[in-house]
Amino acid sequence: MRKFTFFTMFSLLLASCSTSKHSTFLVGTYTENDSQGINVIQFDTDSKAISIKNLIPEIENPSFVITNKAKTIMVAVEETASENGGKVTSYSYDSTSNKFQKLNSFFTKGNHPCTVTFSPDEKYVIVGNYSGGNLSVFPIDQQGNLSENSQFIQYEGKSVNAERQEKPHVHSVVFHPKDSFLFVADLGRDAIEMIPFDANSKTFLQTEKAISTKVASGSGPRHLLFNKTGNTLYVTYELTNEIGVFKFENNQLQHQQTIALTKTPTKSGSAAELRLSDDGNYLYATVRGKDNQLVVMKTNQDKNLEVIQSKATGKAPRNFILTKDQKNILVANQDSNKITVFDRDTKSGLLSPTSSEITIPKPVYLSKF
């Protein structure tokens, strides 16, 4: 009987340990000194505790951080300004030693790079420069070494908001999940650019075949997000605190709906980021400024968006991320210097605040690692 009891208890202990799950995320930040940088955090899905696992210092304003599919390469922009623009920096990652090794950096030829993505074949890195109003393309090898800028696209123009749209402001670059197009959100020109690409061509982006879609004047498109099938594009309109919904058919964007994120109309808003639940049923968006909230929307199977909840966050919520099990959302609150956690009902999509949080200087982006 004693043996059975001991075996049973030991088995239960093992089972309890095995159910404890952890998720790891990269945190992009704005830095104030060389000891700050990219944080690697771990989230315990059982206890909801957050801890800092690693810190990559000596990088300036790594506001947007991505990895390749194999998680062996990390690329970050350095959102800075100079005669040659900001920077893009690459690292290799060794999972055995759990160490990041800086490889190289290049100037982006545009000030304040704020968005970066790998091409589908991971042979190029495309950087969007906010203040520069341009794109830079960098070849990258299998080890993570970047090469000198191979393509540069400068936009021209402005829109109706004299303070925020005095020139082009590239804010998001996203590849279509299935078709060979890069989509670019230009907040300054109220435009979404669709650029065909050819991985086998010397000129990766086929700019002569690009198609520009104008959005509502003064809206300021900021963040782009496709659903999994690629037939629906969601767009954050930063200046009007709205979400635009577009159908993508026959290589064209067709506007379907615009929905307000806040109750009071505005032309100087601060809507920020977008995330879609894995099942595609719920869309989430952050709004900064006086609102400081995370808005929950039901997609209604890509028919009409419907706001179903707004939850208060910390100050200036920027990017956020859903955990793998979809049961929690972590929010990076730039001006509160905290990452906070919400519980998420996977059926209703609704959120509940938790007491779980961690202090990190000016967190602005979260990426799965």
Side-chain angles (χ1 to χ4, degrees):
M1 184 68 178
R2 288 182 179 178
K3 291 183 178 179
F4 175 78
T5 302
F6 176 78
F7 177 78
T8 303
M9 291 179 66
F10 185 69
S11 299
L12 289 171
L13 179 60
L14 285 177
S16 174
C17 291
S18 65
T19 57
S20 179
K21 299 178 182 179
H22 296 88
S23 296
T24 305
F25 303 101
L26 300 174
V27 182
T29 68
Y30 288 128
T31 58
E32 296 177 339
N33 54 63
D34 287 345
S35 65
Q36 297 175 1
I38 302 167
N39 289 262
V40 184
I41 64 170
Q42 193 170 72
F43 176 69
D44 188 309
T45 56
D46 291 335
S47 67
K48 298 182 179 62
I50 312 175
S51 58
I52 296 176
K53 186 178 178 182
N54 203 345
L55 173 66
I56 300 96
E58 298 181 356
I59 180 170
E60 189 174 2
N61 293 343
S63 63
F64 204 105
V65 185
I66 59 173
T67 64
N68 63 340
K69 297 181 184 72
K71 309 299 182 186
T72 58
I73 300 168
M74 177 177 70
V75 176
V77 298
E78 297 189 47
E79 194 173 329
T80 57
S82 73
E83 291 183 1
N84 297 307
K87 289 183 179 180
V88 58
T89 301
S90 67
Y91 297 78
S92 62
Y93 175 70
D94 184 344
S95 59
T96 302
S97 62
N98 193 33
K99 289 185 178 180
F100 291 86
Q101 178 66 45
K102 183 177 179 180
L103 298 175
N104 58 355
S105 295
F106 284 96
F107 287 106
T108 61
K109 298 183 179 179
N111 285 337
H112 302 114
C114 67
T115 179
V116 61
T117 186
F118 278 100
S119 62
D121 62 5
E122 298 188 335
K123 292 182 179 180
Y124 295 92
V125 165
I126 295 83
V127 178
N129 301 296
Y130 180 79
S131 295
N134 46 44
L135 298 179
S136 297
V137 180
F138 297 87
I140 187 169
D141 66 21
Q142 293 182 347
Q143 287 70 47
N145 296 291
L146 294 163
S147 295
E148 184 62 69
N149 179 292
S150 65
Q151 195 171 5
F152 179 77
I153 302 171
Q154 179 66 56
Y155 292 109
E156 301 292 341
K158 57 183 179 179
S159 193
V160 297
N161 188 318
E163 292 184 0
R164 298 293 309 281
Q165 297 180 307
E166 79 291 358
K167 63 179 182 177
H169 289 300
V170 173
H171 218 314
S172 180
V173 289
V174 174
F175 281 96
H176 190 273
K178 294 184 178 181
D179 295 329
S180 298
F181 294 104
L182 175 73
F183 287 79
V184 181
D186 189 334
L187 182 148
R189 296 186 302 123
D190 284 324
I192 300 172
E193 300 293 332
M194 183 178 76
I195 311 173
F197 69 87
D198 184 350
N200 299 314
S201 172
K202 291 183 179 179
T203 304
F204 177 67
L205 295 177
Q206 309 294 298
T207 55
E208 71 279 2
K209 300 178 182 178
I211 297 173
S212 183
T213 300
K214 288 292 185 179
V215 300
S217 295
S219 58
R222 174 188 173 96
H223 190 85
L224 305 176
L225 177 65
F226 275 99
N227 63 352
K228 287 183 178 180
T229 62
N231 65 357
T232 302
L233 175 67
Y234 300 102
V235 184
T236 308
Y237 293 152
E238 177 173 342
L239 303 182
T240 54
N241 285 349
E242 295 174 317
I243 300 294
V245 185
F246 292 81
K247 286 295 181 184
F248 182 65
E249 295 178 336
N250 301 318
N251 294 339
Q252 290 184 335
L253 288 175
Q254 300 174 355
H255 179 258
Q256 299 292 307
Q257 181 190 8
T258 298
I259 185 172
L261 293 171
T262 52
K263 294 180 180 180
T264 305
T266 181
K267 294 182 180 179
S268 57
S270 53
E273 308 297 331
L274 285 173
R275 296 279 189 184
L276 195 62
S277 60
D278 280 352
D279 58 16
N281 291 331
Y282 298 97
L283 182 71
Y284 299 84
T286 46
V287 184
R288 299 162 293 168
K290 65 179 181 180
D291 298 287
N292 291 318
Q293 60 188 9
L294 182 58
V295 182
V296 186
M297 290 157 280
K298 191 173 182 180
T299 64
N300 294 313
Q301 296 301 318
D302 300 327
K303 291 181 182 178
N304 284 300
L305 277 181
E306 173 190 3
V307 173
I308 59 174
Q309 186 186 40
S310 295
K311 299 298 291 185
T313 63
K315 294 180 180 179
R318 288 280 298 268
N319 193 258
F320 58 97
I321 201 162
L322 282 78
T323 54
K324 186 176 181 180
D325 62 10
Q326 304 284 285
K327 293 182 179 180
N328 292 102
I329 289 182
L330 280 67
V331 182
N333 302 285
Q334 178 181 342
D335 291 349
S336 296
N337 299 310
K338 291 184 183 296
I339 293 176
T340 53
V341 180
F342 286 87
D343 283 334
R344 176 180 180 269
D345 187 304
T346 57
K347 292 184 179 180
S348 69
L350 298 176
L351 305 177
S352 302
T354 74
S355 59
S356 180
E357 62 179 32
I358 191 169
T359 298
I360 290 177
K362 292 181 170 54
V364 291
Y365 191 76
L366 288 156
S367 177
K368 291 180 181 178
F369 184 62

